[in-house]
Amino acid sequence: MSRTVKGRYLSLAATGAALSLAVTLTGCGSLTGDNEVTLRVVAAEYGDNPQNSSAAYWKDLAAGFEKTHPGIKVEVDVYSWSEVDAKVAAMVKEGKAPDIAQIGAYADYAAAGKLHTADELLSVQTEADFLAPLAEAGKVRRTQYGMPFVASTRLLFYNEKLLADAGVIPKDGRTPWQPKSWADLEAAAKKLKAAGVPTPFALPLGREEAQAETMMWMLSGGGGYTDNEEAYAIDSAENVKAFEFLRDKMVGQGLTGAADPGKTDRQAAFDAFARGEVGMLNGHPTLIKQATEKGVKVGMVPLPTADGTAQPAMGVADWIMAFKNGHRAESGKFLDWVYDSKNVTAFTRKYDLLPATTSGFRAMEAANGGSAAQLKPFLQALPNSRLYPVGKNSWAGVSESVKQNIGRAVQPGAQPAKVLEEIAVRARAEDKR
């Protein structure tokens, strides 16, 4: 493993579709008659259509909580991932922060002194149940503020029929594809292109989740957003090499289709894969269901690395945080309810995600058949995965800079080293503030 890699990374910011809806469950305001408290909660959307919206989950969750906790009402607004972080930021700026937010980053709010610590909120049992790498990633200066909600890892997905028809794998259906290096990936993409596949390899570097696609390629090249001391190393030699490969071998040879990678969002790539138009792409567990429902037979393997040497997968998690609004005890009670094993399992099963708790991890490990079996490759990659540097209060701004600029690094004639240096210089400046 390269010396320039690794720090603790994590933030799942990535599994919802461009769907926005707000749902009011009960109550209004923050304090009603007879000292009844109403908790205001903001959550992210994980569904990809109105029928499987996260709003239904939160409605049931709140209703169950209210039955056993008289005097506490819960009011939830659900927004798409494309806007939920900005919604919370605007609320905080206006002095109207929610009591609880389930979003993509927490460190800047923690640094500003706006959040309760986990041990101020949770029971000992709940706090101890978090998977250790995720709990560690939720810390700022060794104190946990971010509580992992759900987790995921990323793998390379491929359309088995398209690869078989192109001669990449046998048509017997029994021989799995086992690419090891970027050269293997390039060779497969060339065969897919020759077979007429519109997009041999989808490369979504658009705003929706460019920071995730970027990190996957950095890790597979032996790099990462940070070095071993957790200083930003975005412009490392390993990272530059990864984007030179993408520019020259993938985009430059027409292996990423006609679309501009810098303008291609993750969900658009997922949709095209489910339509049978994409041979390969990096994906998370929710793509399994979306593709299989459309009749696509999916294969999944770790993303090949630069030279075939094993590298960690990318791990992601989304975060819950509680703002200092005078409702610490009530927020803590609701969060203990959120992390009850039955509620964690209900959510992860609904959206094919990984649990952030040890009890949930063990339950999924023990499960057989169905979606649990399909998720086990992701689950196995979780303990050693690398996370976004979400403990840095600069990360939100750095992530946004990646979203805005990284697409330029793979354009024909581009200079990846220059683009990565520009992002890195901003990142280091932000980190010193």
Side-chain angles (χ1 to χ4, degrees):
M1 185 175 296
S2 164
R3 67 183 184 279
T4 62
V5 185
K6 323 307 180 223
R8 45 181 178 79
Y9 306 168
L10 200 51
S11 168
L12 190 95
T15 55
L19 172 68
S20 172
L21 53 105
V23 57
T24 298
L25 303 180
T26 51
C28 58
S30 60
L31 191 64
T32 58
D34 299 322
N35 294 321
E36 181 180 86
V37 169
T38 295
L39 294 177
R40 294 165 50 241
V41 179
V42 171
E45 176 61 76
Y46 288 79
D48 58 9
N49 61 68
Q51 286 68 47
N52 70 354
S53 170
S54 302
Y57 170 82
W58 286 101
K59 181 177 181 179
D60 291 342
L61 187 74
F65 175 79
E66 291 170 357
K67 286 181 181 178
T68 56
H69 295 79
I72 306 176
K73 299 294 183 181
V74 181
E75 186 178 279
V76 182
D77 291 327
V78 178
Y79 298 99
S80 75
W81 272 112
S82 63
E83 61 179 345
V84 66
D85 290 308
K87 288 283 187 181
V88 171
M91 292 175 187
V92 173
K93 185 176 181 179
E94 294 170 4
K96 300 177 180 179
D99 294 290
I100 295 170
Q102 184 266 299
I103 52 178
Y106 63 85
D108 49 346
Y109 300 124
K114 296 182 181 296
L115 301 181
H116 287 293
T117 63
D119 62 5
E120 290 175 333
L121 296 159
L122 304 175
S123 68
V124 173
Q125 180 179 357
T126 299
E127 189 175 6
D129 196 31
F130 291 128
L131 288 167
L134 305 187
E136 186 65 25
K139 294 180 179 180
V140 174
R141 298 184 182 91
R142 300 179 181 174
T143 299
Q144 186 177 358
Y145 294 91
M147 291 160 278
F149 178 56
V150 288
S152 176
T153 51
R154 305 298 170 91
L155 296 175
L156 175 66
F157 282 63
Y158 62 92
N159 182 314
E160 290 190 1
K161 183 178 186 303
L162 293 182
L163 265 67
D165 290 346
V168 177
I169 58 176
K171 293 187 177 183
D172 59 17
R174 296 189 300 272
T175 307
W177 188 39
Q178 296 181 320
K180 298 297 183 184
S181 68
W182 289 348
D184 294 336
L185 198 67
E186 177 190 354
K190 285 181 176 178
K191 289 183 177 180
L192 289 165
K193 181 181 179 182
V197 175
T199 304
F201 191 100
L203 184 65
L205 293 173
R207 283 187 53 83
E208 184 181 357
E209 211 191 14
Q211 81 284 1
E213 188 73 18
T214 294
M215 183 172 165
M216 283 181 271
W217 285 101
M218 287 178 171
L219 290 175
S220 72
Y225 279 119
T226 59
D227 61 20
N228 285 333
E229 284 70 46
E230 298 195 17
Y232 282 115
I234 296 168
D235 53 350
S236 71
E238 292 87 349
N239 294 340
V240 171
K241 180 180 177 181
F243 278 86
E244 287 176 344
F245 168 78
L246 292 174
R247 178 198 63 187
D248 298 337
K249 302 299 185 180
M250 302 303 286
V251 177
Q253 297 188 93
L255 303 181
T256 56
D260 179 354
K263 297 179 180 178
T264 301
D265 284 338
R266 183 208 65 238
Q267 191 59 51
F270 280 15
D271 292 345
F273 184 82
R275 292 193 300 267
E277 300 168 2
V278 172
M280 304 173 286
L281 81 171
N282 291 315
H284 53 66
T286 57
L287 180 56
I288 300 173
K289 184 176 181 180
Q290 183 180 350
T292 54
E293 285 181 346
K294 298 291 186 179
V296 174
K297 192 172 182 181
V298 175
M300 295 174 289
V301 293
L303 177 64
T305 62
D307 59 3
T309 302
Q311 298 290 354
M314 174 186 164
V316 292
D318 296 327
W319 302 96
I320 288 184
M321 61 215 69
F323 287 86
K324 294 179 178 178
N325 285 351
H327 298 150
R328 180 186 63 80
E330 294 83 0
S331 293
K333 290 177 181 178
F334 182 64
L335 289 170
D336 280 337
W337 182 261
V338 168
Y339 286 107
D340 183 273
S341 60
K342 68 178 184 297
N343 294 326
V344 169
T345 300
F347 193 87
T348 56
R349 284 181 177 174
K350 183 177 179 68
Y351 296 107
D352 289 336
L353 295 168
L354 305 181
T357 61
T358 300
S359 58
F361 184 94
R362 288 172 178 166
M364 184 171 284
E365 267 192 323
N368 293 309
S371 62
Q374 292 179 311
L375 290 174
K376 284 188 178 180
F378 296 93
L379 193 69
Q380 291 164 357
L382 184 60
N384 296 315
S385 61
R386 295 292 181 264
L387 289 59
Y388 295 130
V390 290
K392 290 177 172 290
N393 58 20
S394 58
W395 169 243
V398 173
S399 175
E400 183 61 28
S401 179
V402 172
K403 291 179 181 181
Q404 292 178 0
N405 295 289
I406 199 63
R408 295 190 288 116
V410 300
Q411 294 291 330
Q415 299 180 47
K418 183 177 180 180
V419 175
L420 291 173
E421 182 183 18
E422 290 173 0
I423 298 171
V425 168
R426 294 192 195 103
R428 291 175 188 129
E430 288 288 330
D431 207 32
K432 292 178 180 178
R433 291 184 181 178

